Amino acid sequence: MGFDEEWAQLRGEAATRLNQLTDPSGGGTGGIGTDSFGSDPKMTAAGNKIATDVTKQTKNASKHANEATDGAASAFADWDIAAGLKKVRKTWEDQSRTLLGRLTTEAGGLRTARTWQRSTDIGVRNDLVGRSKINGL
């Protein structure tokens, strides 16, 4: 297969894929609407999952660990181990706070990446449609 044939095949496949998508303006087919071309709605779903479930579970685990450590430190109040437990609790709390911050950043990053990628998809689609009209396709 020569370059021209392969290029025609690839263009045809891209046009077929783009034509299967809904138009965001509601004007029929040929655009990017609720479906996606390259962007993946799973990125947004993953970001939402991190922001809700994973963050909530991490907060609960941290709270449980802090309560257990506080209880142990109280039980050993007259022992040297109490000071060590308090230090461990502070370290755990700092690390949990850092993790929660990272989770928030990652969740936002996934949502933002999906939005940027979708905007790029729409731009590419519009560019292809414009070129198709110029070339009489």
Side-chain angles (χ1 to χ4, degrees):
M1 175 183 306
F3 174 79
D4 291 333
E5 293 87 14
E6 184 177 1
W7 177 243
Q9 179 184 350
L10 292 173
R11 255 187 23 216
E13 289 171 3
T16 299
R17 175 70 175 118
L18 288 169
N19 287 333
Q20 292 173 355
L21 303 175
T22 57
D23 188 347
S25 65
T29 61
I32 295 179
T34 57
D35 298 313
S36 63
F37 182 59
S39 58
D40 190 347
K42 291 179 185 175
M43 294 166 104
T44 301
N48 291 339
K49 184 77 167 175
I50 289 171
T52 55
D53 297 344
V54 176
T55 299
K56 181 180 177 183
Q57 291 170 1
T58 301
K59 286 179 182 177
N60 288 340
S62 180
K63 181 180 175 186
H64 176 72
N66 287 343
E67 290 171 353
T69 305
D70 287 345
S74 293
F76 292 106
D78 296 332
W79 296 43
D80 289 340
I81 195 170
L85 288 170
K86 288 178 183 176
K87 185 175 180 179
V88 166
R89 184 197 190 282
K90 170 106 174 69
T91 301
W92 173 262
E93 192 172 317
D94 292 345
Q95 290 175 345
S96 295
R97 190 176 306 111
T98 299
L99 176 59
L100 288 168
R102 176 101 188 254
L103 289 171
T104 299
T105 300
E106 295 297 333
L110 283 166
R111 291 188 205 120
T112 300
R114 192 320 171 103
T115 300
W116 287 347
Q117 192 176 32
R118 187 170 185 281
S119 295
T120 300
D121 289 345
I122 291 170
V124 168
R125 181 247 174 230
N126 291 340
D127 187 44
L128 289 172
V129 168
R131 288 175 191 258
S132 294
K133 288 178 183 176
I134 290 171
N135 294 325
L137 300 175

